[in-house]
Amino acid sequence: MNVGVVGAGSWGTALAIQLARSGDRVRLWDHRPERAARMQEQRENKRYMPGVSLVDNIEVSGELGHVLEDAALVVEVIPSQSVRRVAESFAPLVPAGATVLCASKGIEQ
């Protein structure tokens, strides 16, 4: 299955790794393109999960449209206070028929 994970913090990265270990093709989005490029190149999220390697079938990108392209499952994993703003920006990019899962933690302020 093609999975788009929106949010590359520690929780988003951990979920992306687990989904990839289950055999899914995962694209992980970081809102900072330069950090996404570093993670893709170094195969590690040194900021949030130092020492944990990204599974081979994870692609990291700073391009939200690319991450959601062909996704059958979209896992939104950003801080709760940003969910509304980010979801409004990615909603038009979610493929028809895709399932959207909110895995954010916290409470919107």
Side-chain angles (χ1 to χ4, degrees):
M1 173 171 31
N2 295 330
V3 180
V5 178
V6 179
S10 56
W11 181 221
T13 302
L15 288 175
I17 290 170
Q18 187 57 41
L19 287 161
R21 285 180 178 160
S22 298
D24 294 317
R25 186 187 65 107
V26 178
R27 290 182 177 157
L28 176 62
W29 177 74
D30 192 301
H31 71 282
R32 295 193 176 163
E34 69 282 354
R35 190 165 55 206
R38 231 180 2 261
M39 287 172 54
Q40 177 65 22
E41 181 182 318
Q42 297 172 352
R43 307 304 300 154
E44 179 181 351
N45 186 339
K46 289 189 179 195
R47 179 173 185 191
Y48 293 109
M49 294 188 74
V52 178
S53 297
L54 296 180
V55 179
D56 289 341
N57 49 327
I58 294 176
E59 177 185 352
V60 187
S61 176
E63 303 259 345
L64 194 50
H66 177 67
V67 168
L68 299 179
E69 184 179 348
D70 300 325
L73 173 64
V74 176
V75 183
E76 177 276 311
V77 197
I78 55 176
S80 293
Q81 62 268 20
S82 300
V83 168
R84 184 183 310 263
R85 178 180 51 79
V86 176
E88 286 173 349
S89 69
F90 77 71
L93 305 173
V94 174
T99 299
V100 178
L101 171 68
C102 179
S104 290
K105 52 188 181 172
I107 300 172
E108 182 179 17
Q109 296 178 352

